């Protein structure tokens, strides 16, 4: 999955989703890149939602450190392989992560990836996802109203109409999913 580079220190919008996922795992406990990569591997706890290659994990850890969101706190020297730098979340990193976790995604296509990653990280942290779910429902309910108007404004049979119907259906599906989460 593509990653966009960090542009400004601590700006969650400038950090890739992969970087924010890495930040979320580091927030759980001081750790090192190899352990974080295992969590995002295909058979890892978060790999079924969002896969991040080991090289990308290390690149993102460097960017997060440069942005002051994580900091090295030691080196693990025992065990096979090279020494591993242990990093932990900074207070600035905690604030950035919390803002990102609480912010709803804007597009239904991001629900499959970014929203599920947020829900998984909230669950791993033992945090209630209710605030995010409520905010997400509000965003997508408003979007659904706009999209239904777009359907009415397009010519039946045109590709614009087809696309508008697809977007309505996709948005409605995410809203149905969010309602099911509320009910469970």
């Amino acid at each position: 999955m593509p990653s966009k580079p960090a542009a400004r220190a601590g700006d969650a919008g400038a950090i890739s989703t992969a970087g924010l996922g890495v930040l979320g795992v580091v927030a759980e406990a001081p750790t090192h890149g190899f352990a974080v990569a295992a969590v995002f591997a295909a058979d890892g706890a978060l790999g079924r939602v969002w896969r991040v290659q080991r090289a990308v994990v290390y690149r993102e850890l460097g960017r997060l450190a440069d942005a002051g969101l994580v900091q090295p706190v030691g080196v693990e020297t025992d065990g096979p392989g090279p020494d591993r730098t242990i990093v932990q979340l900074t207070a600035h990193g905690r604030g950035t992560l919390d803002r990102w976790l609480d912010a709803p995604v804007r597009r239904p296509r991001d629900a499959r990836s970014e929203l599920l990653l947020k829900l998984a990280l909230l669950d791993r942290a033992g945090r209630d996802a209710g605030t995010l779910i409520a905010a997400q429902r509000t965003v997508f309910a408003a979007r659904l109203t706009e999209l239904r108007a777009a359907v009415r404004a397009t010519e039946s049979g045109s590709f614009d109409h087809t696309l508008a119907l697809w977007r309505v259906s996709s948005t409605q599906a995410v809203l149905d999913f969010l309602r099911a989460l509320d009910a469970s």
Side-chain angles (χ1 to χ4, degrees), residues 121-169:
L121 288 169
L122 288 167
D123 182 67
R124 287 172 61 93
R127 286 184 49 190
D128 179 38
T131 300
L132 174 60
I133 293 167
Q136 197 63 76
R137 284 180 67 181
T138 299
V139 166
F140 285 161
R143 182 74 177 130
L144 188 59
T145 300
E146 295 169 5
L147 291 170
R148 285 183 174 145
V151 167
R152 290 188 300 276
T154 59
E155 183 180 335
S156 182
S158 70
F159 181 73
D160 287 341
H161 188 75
T162 300
L163 184 58
L165 286 172
W166 171 257
R167 289 178 174 162
V168 165
S169 295

Side-chain angles (χ1 to χ4, degrees), residues 9-130:
D11 177 5
I15 302 168
S16 70
T17 301
L20 290 160
V22 167
L23 192 63
V25 173
V26 172
E28 296 171 3
T31 189
H32 51 77
F34 190 81
V36 174
V39 172
F40 285 105
D43 60 348
L46 293 174
R48 60 190 168 162
V49 174
W50 190 273
R51 290 192 189 128
V52 182
Q53 299 296 320
R54 184 176 299 142
V56 175
V57 167
Y58 284 103
R59 183 184 70 218
E60 293 301 332
L61 282 171
R63 288 177 174 166
L64 295 170
D66 290 346
L69 304 175
V70 301
Q71 63 188 7
V73 293
V75 176
E76 183 180 282
T77 57
D78 55 338
D83 293 349
R84 296 180 173 142
T85 301
I86 307 296
V87 295
Q88 72 179 15
L89 201 66
T90 64
H92 186 51
R94 168 60 61 198
T96 298
L97 178 63
D98 287 346
R99 283 187 299 279
W100 176 71
L101 286 171
D102 291 338
V105 300
R106 296 290 164 203
R107 300 174 300 195
R109 67 179 171 210
D110 294 330
R112 165 60 187 93
S113 53
E114 188 176 344
L115 177 60
L116 282 180
L117 179 59
K118 288 179 180 194
L119 292 170
L121 288 169
L122 288 167
D123 182 67
R124 287 172 61 93
R127 286 184 49 190
D128 179 38

